[in-house]
């Protein structure tokens, strides 16, 4: 072994034998490359744990923020050596006061190859220095003559040799009353009998100081709780010359301490007993320092599992990455308080919605000593608020739709009467002007406009849920082919239509024609939302909605959810709540009326279902129709009965209170070859039937002024003339909804062929035996006339 190797080995043994000093090497960047047992003893890290780590981790958070480690390296590089004192951190998070030296280490060429670091724990010495400073400060207060302390001198026997103003105020004796007397006069009889004054002096001589608390007696005999200190005094040669005695009246503090102890006891019981709130403390760095039962209940950690850990572990990974925990500490430090709500993480990884308050705690000097943290699990409260908000939104939407429905329903009734007059008169004029091509062209335009108006009122009535529906069990999967053919006709070639109807899909109880119209309206909307092409997917699935489930609506029971999803431009959030309003549209004037979605909404609502919509800009829109499940299987289509054509010349009584509509109805019936009598109300109709010849059919409006409307008239005639067929007509009536199939109803505005078909149906009903046939009745009347002649 060479001498150099021998010296290196001896140095290694030396370093490893030193346990009071942390001696280690750093590379030029401050990373640890060697580590002696003293460093492991002082810092708490083994070499395998700390090798390659930056020595910054031994500094406090405040020093790291201030850049102190880097500054020390820079000074050592520049000056060759730097010494420092300050708080340093051990592995377990505790602090110690360190005196450290940092030496730059260079090779033979003068190149920096690292640093030598020597650190010693000087916590005990620093505390001793602080004690000396405190003693010196007390001495200065003594010589300045404070009045809150009784400060006086005793000779070696315990006799009083001097007296300050504080002693006079506290004890009640003046200087000339007490000088020369033994200081035991301030003790209670019990303490004097127990020899406490003598023991106090003996202890002070033996230990250099005697400090105690206890009852003392004033001149007037009253007692006070005193904090007393007795110090032996020596001259320069070390000879004992007496004692320095300091006494303070701390009766109020004693009472306050007693009250505080009781308060703290009660507070600890309170905090430990609270289970609805997580109450715990953090140190200035965010480390958990205590833990209550509520914190364990809410967060899932026991005290021994979490004390000493950083509170950021309660945050989600996203919030930790965004620096939310440190911002919370900084806000509380700067403003005194931080409040927030958000998702927090339990020990088992589950999330809960938390209401959080973080308060900064400072000592009497204003120095930050930590934080008080209060967390409450408000998940149920938040869910209830969200559910209430959804219910309020649904109620507001329902009330708005109901009001709009009432308005549009009333408008539709009057509008249909106007359309009846316009379209009916146009049809009557057509035969008179059969040779006039210009006039016929004008009539075509009038009738086309009337039909468009009829479509508008149909959509309005559907939205108002006043459309006359004929629901029946319908199997969507069995009608998928015809439905695809219907909808494809409205789509361009660059829009792909995909239908997904499972084989086990429940049948639905709806009006098939209105459902097809609703799907057609949604298909047209999807087409317009995909100007550059895309995919329209129509799917259906069985859905049982319940309180326990995730029901997206207020519906409960069995439904079939029919969804139409496009890949279009989407609907802006600010108008999403208005898309079902009548006449609301974002399309150009020539591209839509704003009634398509209104029809969808009204049809689904009237059918006992609901419609929902989800949309994302640039991604597309999804409409979902919840249609009620049919409890019966769909029936096969029945063959149409043979049509019985009403023979011309039938006597028809028209009951209509609108003169213009009455003229049109009478004209159309006469054009069909029938004999018409017109009356304006139900009472007049009953009188005409009672006084004159019985008509072959009564054709009555439903909505009429007076005590009796058309439905009441029809029911009255069924009682008084059971063989007399009645045909009702209406532009809109709630009464028509209530009667169902009790009487045949013709919807205004009607065309000439619609009227003729309705008359034929009424005659077919008479042919079934429920009513008397018109031709039979005519022959019977003729026979009676011939017999009377």
């Amino acid at each position: 072994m060479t001498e150099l190797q021998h010296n290196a080995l001896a140095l290694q043994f030396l370093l490893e034998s030193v346990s009071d000093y942390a001696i280690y090497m750093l590379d030029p960047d401050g990373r640890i490359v060697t580590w002696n047992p003293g460093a492991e003893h002082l810092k708490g890290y083994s070499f395998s744990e700390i090798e390659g780590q930056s020595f910054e981790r031994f500094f406090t958070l405040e020093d790291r923020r201030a850049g102190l480690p880097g500054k020390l390296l820079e000074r050592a590089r520049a000056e060759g050596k730097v010494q420092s004192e300050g708080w340093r951190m051990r592995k377990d998070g505790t602090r110690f006061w360190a005196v450290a030296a940092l030496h730059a280490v260079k090779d033979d060429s003068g190149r920096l190859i690292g640093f030598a670091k020597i650190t010693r724990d000087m916590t005990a010495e620093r505390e001793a220095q602080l004690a000396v400073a405190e003693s010196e400060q007390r001495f200065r207060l003594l010589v300045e003559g404070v009045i809150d302390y009784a400060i006086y001198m005793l000779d070696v026997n315990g006799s009083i040799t001097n007296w300050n103003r504080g002693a006079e105020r506290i004890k009640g004796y003046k200087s000339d009353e007490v000088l020369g007397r033994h200081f035991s006069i301030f003790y209670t009889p019990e303490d004097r009998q127990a020899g406490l004054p003598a023991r106090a002096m003996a202890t002070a001589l033996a230990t250099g100081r005697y400090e105690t608390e206890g009852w003392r007696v004033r001149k007037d005999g009253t007692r006070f709780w005193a904090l007393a200190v007795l110090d032996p005094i020596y001259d320069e040669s070390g000879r004992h010359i007496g004692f320095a005695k300091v006494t303070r009246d701390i009766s109020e503090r004693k009472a306050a301490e007693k009250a505080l102890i009781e308060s703290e006891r009660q507070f600890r019981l309170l905090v430990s007993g609270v289970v609805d709130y997580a109450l715990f403390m953090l140190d200035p760095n965010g480390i958990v320092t205590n833990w209550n039962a509520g914190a364990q209940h809410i967060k899932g950690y026991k005290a021994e599992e979490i004390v000493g850990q950083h509170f950021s572990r309660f945050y989600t990974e996203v919030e930790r990455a965004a620096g939310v925990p440190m911002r919370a500490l900084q806000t509380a430090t700067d403003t005194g308080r931080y409040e927030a709500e958000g998702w927090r993480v339990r020990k088992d990884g589950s999330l809960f919605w938390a209401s959080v308050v973080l308060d900064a705690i400072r000592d009497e000097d204003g120095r930050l000593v930590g934080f008080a943290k209060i967390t409450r699990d408000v998940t149920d409260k938040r869910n209830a608020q969200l559910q209430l908000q959804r219910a309020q939104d649904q109620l507001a939407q329902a009330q708005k739709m109901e009001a709009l429905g009432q308005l549009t329903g009333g408008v539709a009734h009057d509008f249909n009467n106007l359309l009846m007059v316009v379209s009916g008169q146009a049809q009557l004029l057509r035969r008179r002007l059969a040779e006039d091509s210009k006039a016929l062209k004008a009539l075509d335009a009038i009738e086309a406009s009337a039909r468009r108006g009829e479509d508008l009122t149909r959509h309005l009535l559907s939205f108002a849920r006043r459309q006359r529906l004929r629901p029946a069990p319908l199997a969507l999967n069995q009608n998928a082919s015809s439905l695809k053919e219907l909808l494809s006709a409205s789509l361009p070639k660059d829009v792909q239509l995909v239908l997904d109807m499972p084989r086990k899909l429940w049948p639905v109880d709806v009006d098939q024609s209105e459902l097809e119209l609703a799907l057609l309206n949604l298909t047209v909307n999807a087409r317009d939302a995909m100007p550059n092409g895309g995919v329209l997917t129509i799917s259906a699935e069985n859905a049982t909605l319940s309180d326990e489930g995730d029901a997206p609506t207020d519906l409960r029971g069995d439904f079939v959810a029919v969804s139409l999803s496009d890949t279009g431009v989407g609907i802006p959030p600010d108008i999403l709540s208005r898309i079902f309003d009548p006449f609301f549209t974002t399309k150009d004037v020539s591209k839509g009326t704003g009634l398509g979605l209104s029809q969808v909404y009204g049809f689904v609502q009237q059918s006992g279902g609901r419609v929902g919509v989800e949309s994302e800009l640039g991604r597309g829109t999804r409409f979902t129709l919840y249609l009620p499940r049919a409890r019966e299987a769909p029936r096969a289509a029945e063959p149409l009965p043979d049509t019985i054509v009403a023979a011309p010349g039938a006597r028809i009584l028209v009951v209509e209170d609108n003169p213009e509509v009455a003229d049109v109805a009478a004209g159309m019936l006469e054009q069909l070859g029938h004999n018409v009598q017109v009356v304006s109300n139900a009472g007049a109709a009953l009188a005409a039937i009672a006084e004159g010849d019985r008509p072959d059919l009564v054709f009555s409006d439903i909505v009429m002024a007076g005590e009796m409307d058309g439905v009441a008239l029809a029911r009255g005639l069924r009682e008084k003339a059971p063989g007399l067929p009645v045909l009702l007509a209406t532009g809109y009536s709630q009464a028509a909804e209530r009667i169902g199939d009790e009487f045949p109803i013709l919807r205004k505005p009607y065309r000439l062929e619609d009227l003729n078909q309705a008359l034929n149906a009424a005659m077919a009903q008479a042919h079934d035996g429920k009513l008397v046939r018109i031709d039979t009745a005519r022959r019977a009347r003729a026979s009676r006339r011939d017999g009377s002649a």
Side-chain angles (χ1 to χ4, degrees):
M1 178 182 296
T2 65
E3 183 179 356
L4 181 60
Q5 291 174 328
H6 182 272
N7 292 338
L9 184 61
L11 178 61
Q12 181 180 348
F13 288 152
L14 174 64
L15 293 178
E16 288 179 354
S17 65
V18 175
S19 60
D20 294 332
Y21 288 82
I23 303 173
Y24 52 99
M25 290 290 295
L26 308 177
D27 67 14
D29 296 322
R31 290 187 295 268
I32 297 164
V33 295
T34 67
W35 195 247
N36 81 320
E40 181 172 347
H41 171 74
L42 184 59
K43 310 275 191 177
Y45 295 92
S46 66
F47 182 60
S48 60
E49 293 176 319
I50 203 65
E51 183 182 14
Q53 302 293 320
S54 175
F55 84 124
E56 286 184 356
R57 67 165 49 204
F58 307 135
F59 290 77
T60 63
L61 179 62
E62 299 89 340
D63 287 346
R64 291 201 300 271
R65 285 179 176 172
L68 180 59
K71 293 176 181 178
L72 292 175
L73 291 178
E74 287 301 320
R75 284 187 58 192
R77 285 191 186 96
E79 302 171 11
K81 175 183 178 182
V82 62
Q83 291 184 327
S84 61
E85 286 189 23
W87 290 113
R88 296 295 183 265
M89 305 295 297
R90 295 187 178 92
K91 176 184 175 181
D92 62 1
T94 58
R95 296 186 177 196
F96 65 99
W97 188 262
V99 173
L102 186 65
H103 296 262
V105 179
K106 298 180 181 181
D107 61 13
D108 296 337
S109 62
R111 181 175 61 88
L112 179 70
I113 60 173
F115 301 89
K117 187 77 162 61
I118 303 173
T119 304
R120 187 180 182 190
D121 183 357
M122 297 294 289
T123 307
E125 289 79 354
R126 183 174 184 271
E127 289 176 352
Q129 291 173 353
L130 292 176
V132 171
E134 184 178 355
S135 176
E136 291 176 350
Q137 181 181 16
R138 185 182 297 114
F139 177 77
R140 285 194 298 272
L141 293 176
L142 285 175
V143 296
E144 289 168 3
V146 294
I147 61 172
D148 290 333
Y149 290 84
I151 303 171
Y152 53 98
M153 295 289 293
L154 307 177
D155 64 15
V156 292
N157 298 315
S159 297
I160 301 168
T161 59
N162 63 23
W163 196 248
N164 79 328
R165 288 185 300 150
E168 181 176 335
R169 187 184 70 83
I170 293 173
K171 308 277 191 178
Y173 292 94
K174 292 183 178 180
S175 177
D176 55 358
E177 295 175 321
V178 77
L179 290 178
R181 301 182 65 180
H182 198 272
F183 82 111
S184 61
I185 61 172
F186 308 130
Y187 283 76
T188 63
E190 308 93 81
D191 288 345
R192 287 200 301 270
Q193 186 175 359
L196 191 58
R199 282 207 305 274
M201 290 192 294
T203 301
L205 280 173
T207 64
R209 182 181 181 84
Y210 175 77
E211 185 172 348
T212 188
E213 289 186 14
W215 290 112
R216 296 294 183 267
V217 183
R218 296 187 181 94
K219 176 184 176 182
D220 60 7
T222 59
R223 296 187 177 193
F224 66 97
W225 190 264
L227 170 64
V229 178
L230 187 65
D231 291 290
I233 305 298
Y234 299 91
D235 62 15
E236 294 80 359
S237 62
R239 184 174 58 91
H240 179 222
I241 58 174
F243 299 92
K245 187 74 163 61
V246 180
T247 303
R248 187 180 182 189
D249 182 354
I250 58 169
S251 301
E252 292 182 0
R253 193 181 85 180
K254 181 66 174 179
E257 286 178 352
K258 185 177 180 180
L260 179 60
I261 291 171
E262 179 62 21
S263 174
E264 288 178 346
R265 186 184 70 84
Q266 293 177 355
F267 181 73
R268 282 193 300 271
L269 292 174
L270 172 64
V271 170
S272 61
V274 171
V275 295
D276 292 334
Y277 289 83
L279 307 175
F280 54 98
M281 295 288 293
L282 307 176
D283 72 7
N285 299 316
I287 303 299
V288 179
T289 58
N290 61 27
W291 197 247
N292 82 322
Q296 180 173 336
H297 172 71
I298 293 174
K299 310 256 189 192
Y301 293 94
K302 295 180 180 179
E304 59 269 20
E305 295 175 320
I306 199 64
V307 171
Q309 302 294 320
H310 199 272
F311 86 113
S312 60
R313 68 164 48 203
F314 307 132
Y315 286 75
T316 63
E317 290 185 7
V318 174
E319 290 191 327
R320 287 201 298 271
V324 175
M326 298 311 298
R327 281 203 301 274
L329 293 180
Q330 192 60 49
T331 300
T333 301
D334 295 341
T335 66
R337 187 179 182 86
Y338 171 81
E339 291 187 63
E341 287 193 3
W343 291 113
R344 295 296 181 267
V345 185
R346 296 187 179 93
K347 177 185 176 182
D348 61 7
S350 60
L351 299 178
F352 67 97
W353 190 261
S355 173
V356 175
V357 178
L358 186 65
D359 290 290
I361 306 298
R362 299 182 182 276
D363 62 14
E364 296 82 357
D365 300 325
R367 184 175 61 88
L368 180 70
V369 296
F371 301 92
K373 186 81 160 50
I374 303 175
T375 302
R376 188 180 184 190
D377 182 354
V378 293
T379 307
D380 292 341
K381 177 182 175 183
R382 178 176 183 266
N383 291 340
Q385 289 174 338
L386 293 176
Q387 187 173 359
L388 176 61
Q389 184 62 48
R390 284 194 295 268
Q392 290 172 340
D393 292 343
Q394 290 175 356
L395 176 61
Q397 180 73 1
Q399 290 173 336
K400 181 186 77 170
M401 291 303 190
E402 185 65 26
L404 288 172
Q406 295 288 347
L407 173 64
T408 54
V411 170
H413 171 262
D414 294 336
F415 195 41
N416 274 333
N417 275 340
L418 295 175
L419 291 174
M420 182 71 246
V421 174
V422 172
S423 66
Q425 292 291 4
Q427 294 175 75
L428 294 175
L429 285 172
R430 184 171 292 279
R431 288 193 178 182
R432 299 180 187 178
L433 303 174
E435 303 300 326
D436 189 341
S437 60
K438 290 186 177 180
L440 290 175
K441 187 175 182 180
L443 289 175
D444 289 341
I446 292 173
E447 289 184 331
S449 297
R451 284 193 298 272
R452 284 196 295 271
E454 184 180 351
D455 288 338
L456 287 176
T457 56
R458 181 183 180 188
H459 283 81
L460 284 171
L461 287 172
S462 181
F463 168 76
R465 289 171 278 170
R466 302 294 183 264
Q467 184 73 0
R468 185 172 173 79
L469 300 181
R470 296 183 181 275
L474 174 66
L476 293 175
N477 46 10
Q478 296 177 11
N479 289 269
S481 298
S482 59
L483 185 62
K484 187 171 184 178
E485 183 178 350
L486 171 67
L487 301 181
S488 296
S490 301
L491 297 173
K493 293 182 178 180
D494 58 357
V495 174
Q496 180 185 359
L497 177 62
V498 178
L499 261 70
D500 180 16
M501 300 287 178
R503 185 172 60 85
K504 294 185 178 181
L505 199 64
W506 293 330
V508 293
D509 192 24
V510 295
D511 185 314
Q512 182 174 354
S513 61
E514 287 296 315
L515 173 61
E516 290 173 348
L517 178 60
L519 295 177
L520 190 59
N521 282 327
L522 290 171
T523 298
V524 171
N525 262 33
R527 176 199 68 193
D528 295 342
M530 296 184 288
N532 300 319
V535 179
L536 173 61
T537 303
I538 302 178
S539 60
E541 63 179 356
N542 298 330
T544 298
L545 308 181
S546 64
D547 291 327
E548 290 75 19
D550 245 347
T553 72
D554 58 343
L555 297 178
R556 299 296 179 266
D558 291 341
F559 293 84
V560 173
V562 180
S563 299
L564 291 87
S565 305
D566 63 56
T567 56
V569 296
I571 303 173
D574 57 324
I575 67 171
L576 197 60
S577 62
R578 302 174 58 197
I579 59 173
F580 296 115
D581 294 358
F583 304 110
F584 177 79
T585 180
T586 58
K587 301 176 184 178
D588 295 337
V589 176
S590 60
K591 290 188 176 180
T593 62
L595 288 173
L597 291 180
S598 299
Q599 182 272 337
V600 174
Y601 177 86
F603 157 69
V604 176
Q605 292 282 119
Q606 192 175 357
S607 299
R610 295 290 185 272
V611 58
V613 59
E614 303 170 69
S615 188
E616 185 176 351
L617 288 177
R619 300 291 296 274
T621 301
R622 176 189 180 95
F623 285 91
T624 302
L625 282 58
Y626 291 90
L627 304 176
R629 176 186 183 181
R631 294 302 173 183
E632 298 178 4
R635 294 186 294 271
E638 298 178 358
L640 294 174
D642 295 335
T643 302
I644 305 299
V645 180
R651 298 178 59 203
I652 298 177
L653 178 61
V654 175
V655 188
E656 173 63 68
D657 63 345
N658 187 313
E660 291 83 4
V661 177
D663 288 344
V664 170
M668 296 176 75
L669 289 168
E670 288 170 352
Q671 196 170 95
L672 292 172
H674 303 298
N675 299 314
V676 182
Q677 179 184 0
V678 178
V679 294
S680 61
N681 56 63
L686 293 174
I689 294 172
E691 296 170 2
D693 289 338
R694 173 172 164 162
D696 298 315
L697 182 139
V698 175
F699 182 34
S700 175
D701 187 25
I702 290 182
V703 180
M704 294 186 295
E707 297 181 359
M708 187 180 293
D709 62 6
V711 176
L713 172 63
R715 288 171 177 166
L717 290 174
R718 185 171 56 191
E719 296 293 329
K720 297 177 180 179
L724 179 60
V726 177
L727 175 62
L728 300 176
T730 184
Y732 152 73
S733 172
Q734 289 179 314
E737 298 176 25
R738 294 194 297 269
I739 66 173
D741 294 328
E742 187 178 355
F743 299 100
I745 298 176
L746 183 61
R747 187 169 60 86
K748 298 177 184 178
Y750 47 81
R751 295 185 298 275
L752 194 62
E753 53 269 28
D754 297 331
L755 177 59
N756 190 38
Q757 186 178 1
L759 291 173
N760 292 339
M763 299 313 162
Q765 192 175 23
H767 178 68
D768 288 339
K770 299 177 183 176
L771 298 174
V772 180
R773 288 191 58 168
I774 289 179
D775 53 355
T776 304
R778 284 180 188 161
R779 286 194 295 271
R781 282 198 299 268
S783 298
R784 286 195 297 271
R785 283 197 300 271
D786 293 343
S788 63

